[in-house]
Amino acid sequence: MRLAERVATITPSSTLAITAKAGELAAQGFDVIGLGAGQPDFNTPEFIIDAATEALKAGHTKYTPTAGLPALKQAIIDKLKRDQGFDYTPSEIIVGNGAKHVLYLLFQALLDPGDEVIIPAPFWVSYPEQVKLADGVPVPIQTTQEQHFKINVADLEQAATPKTRALILNSPSNPTGVIYEKEDLEPIADFCLKHDILIISDEIYEKLIYNGNTFYSIAQISDAVKKNTIVVNGVSKSHAMTGWRIGYAAGDAVLIKAMTNIASHSTSNPASASQYAAIAAYNGPQDSVEKMRQAFEKRLNTVYPRLVGLSGVSCIKPQGAFYLFPNIAKTSKACGFDTVTDWVAALLEEEKVAVVPGAGFGAPEHIRLSYATSLEKFQTALDRIEHFIKKHTN
Ligand SMILES: *Cc1c(COP(=O)(O)O)cnc(C)c1O
């Protein structure tokens, strides 16, 4: 079968690959601990499930407007006002099949062949692939753990060209858990305004922030910055709703309309029942969100000291999301492996612990461990990792 050239340019998601391999081992009867999860391990709150069930029974089983039900757009507008003080109108909102889909539509609507998008590394695995699928060119900016994985204006000056159309910011970050402060964002926002670079702010982990840290959206800086920003968010991480597939973008009405046109000829509207669930999620009580946040915080504070106590492992303490992203280059070398990816493969084979190699995130010296799993399992996984390191360094 001859396939389109664009297929060859994309690499399959490394997160999903490790999950598949771990699943295979589990199916063979092995006791595998998966730390690859990119989703909360909690179920969707009951009242949200009820809202979807009731909507279905009431006959809301048909198409909706492509960009989402007016009531859902309003719930999103109210959420943005409540949480960040933003004023958006319905024509500035699109609801899609998850934030991932919304980002896909965005690149399709924004990029001409050769247009460049700046992506700070480590990055979420789908950003560069989605840019390539839109015939764009991903331009990564390498950052290090020492600089807390944050980019600055000097980095942007190096990376920007006349072809730069957009910058992606993801705070809190998957995979590093780092949060950009207002002071970090102001010069970045100025630079983007001056050079007419659209800011894409992926705020999907907004609600998962720990130990007194706070969230600040770059679009809060000023009206001008808000106009130059497209905010992407959704219910997947905040309300444990990954399977419902509801995400949204808020920004320039012309861009939102173009994204809507593309959706109208591809996916049409996101599932009707899921939209009713999302209305309940945003309009209903938020205490279940806070309960999940607290559970994640407790896990983080429990496992972090043990992780950084492992020989040759260094890791900054994440401020948000639900991942740890340690540099294990020293450990991997001491264990006799050429690459961290080989170390990860051997760990799964020998100790039945699945973690994600950092290469797919643009950080080949790192691994990503998700604590969207029980404390007990995570502790056992750390026992096994410790055993693995001892075994290979002796
Ligand atoms: C999970 C995730 C998303 C997408 O989530 P959806 O389920 O598609 O809404 C987007 N960005 C980042 C960084 C993520 O981790």
Side-chain angles (χ1 to χ4, degrees):
M1 173 64 73
R2 193 175 69 89
L3 297 173
E5 273 173 38
R6 80 174 69 82
V7 179
T9 70
I10 54 166
T11 36
S13 158
S14 56
T15 341
L16 299 182
I18 202 85
T19 311
K21 173 80 185 152
E24 259 171 50
L25 287 169
Q28 290 166 29
F30 290 107
D31 167 29
V32 180
I33 301 182
L35 301 182
Q39 58 182 337
D41 52 321
F42 305 99
N43 198 9
T44 305
E46 200 69 27
F47 76 93
I48 296 175
I49 296 174
D50 289 345
T53 313
E54 279 157 28
L56 288 169
K57 291 207 169 127
H60 296 304
T61 56
K62 309 258 189 319
Y63 293 133
T64 73
T66 299
L69 289 161
L72 177 52
K73 285 191 175 186
Q74 192 56 48
I76 291 165
I77 289 168
D78 294 346
K79 179 249 174 264
L80 287 161
K81 180 78 181 174
R82 187 166 67 231
D83 291 345
Q84 276 83 39
F86 288 143
D87 287 306
Y88 283 103
T89 61
S91 62
E92 294 172 309
I93 307 284
I94 179 172
V95 184
N97 297 280
K100 187 183 271 186
H101 176 228
V102 164
L103 285 163
Y104 180 84
L105 294 172
L106 171 55
F107 296 124
Q108 292 292 325
L110 188 70
L111 302 179
D112 277 322
D115 281 350
E116 296 173 3
V117 177
I118 297 176
I119 308 176
F123 43 72
W124 185 49
V125 293
S126 292
Y127 298 141
E129 308 312 308
Q130 290 201 349
V131 167
K132 287 190 273 177
L133 282 170
D135 294 327
V137 180
V139 178
I141 293 179
Q142 290 302 327
T143 67
T144 63
Q145 183 162 274
E146 288 64 44
Q147 61 186 112
H148 280 224
F149 301 112
K150 289 184 196 178
I151 60 155
N152 55 38
V153 168
D155 296 323
L156 287 173
E157 272 163 359
Q158 283 250 307
T161 76
K163 294 202 152 195
T164 307
R165 293 300 315 280
L167 161 71
I168 304 179
L169 284 178
N170 175 215
S171 171
S173 154
N174 172 7
T176 66
V178 162
I179 296 176
Y180 279 78
E181 314 284 335
K182 185 180 183 197
E183 296 70 43
D184 303 320
L185 293 169
E186 278 167 340
I188 294 173
D190 277 350
F191 181 90
C192 289
L193 267 183
K194 200 158 82 194
H195 294 87
D196 195 21
I197 296 170
L198 179 74
I199 301 163
I200 300 168
S201 183
D202 180 346
E203 307 183 350
I204 198 92
Y205 293 100
E206 173 203 356
K207 295 293 176 189
L208 298 176
I209 293 187
Y210 315 115
N211 300 312
N213 287 292
T214 52
F215 176 77
Y216 186 80
S217 170
I218 193 166
Q220 285 175 281
I221 290 173
S222 68
D223 248 11
V225 176
K226 176 172 168 266
K227 280 204 182 80
N228 190 44
T229 302
I230 181 142
V231 169
V232 176
N233 203 336
V235 290
S236 281
K237 310 291 161 57
S238 58
H239 294 78
M241 290 178 68
T242 48
W244 299 79
R245 311 309 304 128
I246 296 290
Y248 67 83
D252 183 280
V254 173
L255 184 53
I256 295 290
K257 185 152 188 281
M259 292 163 66
T260 306
N261 284 342
I262 295 168
S264 77
H265 290 299
S266 47
T267 54
S268 295
N269 60 275
S272 321
S274 294
Q275 293 191 58
Y276 283 94
I279 293 171
Y282 284 132
N283 289 350
Q286 302 297 309
D287 50 316
S288 43
V289 177
E290 173 58 14
K291 254 191 224 138
M292 288 188 269
R293 190 200 68 76
Q294 285 174 9
F296 282 129
E297 184 174 74
K298 179 164 173 238
R299 292 175 190 171
L300 169 64
N301 291 341
T302 310
V303 301
Y304 175 76
R306 248 200 98 189
L307 177 72
V308 290
L310 293 173
S311 168
V313 173
S314 68
C315 187
I316 53 165
K317 189 163 185 185
Q319 300 163 293
F322 39 67
Y323 311 101
L324 291 149
F325 199 62
N327 185 320
I328 65 148
K330 271 192 199 147
T331 313
S332 170
K333 199 173 246 164
C335 289
F337 294 96
D338 287 340
T339 67
V340 165
T341 305
D342 293 341
W343 186 96
V344 166
L347 179 72
L348 180 56
E349 204 61 46
E350 295 172 28
E351 298 288 338
K352 309 294 183 279
V353 174
V355 303
V356 188
F361 303 96
E365 296 192 340
H366 293 254
I367 57 171
R368 194 189 73 174
L369 316 166
S370 161
Y371 49 94
T373 188
S374 73
L375 252 182
E376 198 195 346
K377 276 195 186 160
F378 204 105
Q379 301 271 31
T380 310
L382 284 175
D383 292 341
R384 294 186 190 179
I385 293 172
E386 196 170 2
H387 177 256
F388 180 79
I389 295 172
K390 284 215 177 99
K391 189 172 106 186
H392 284 273
T393 46
N394 278 340

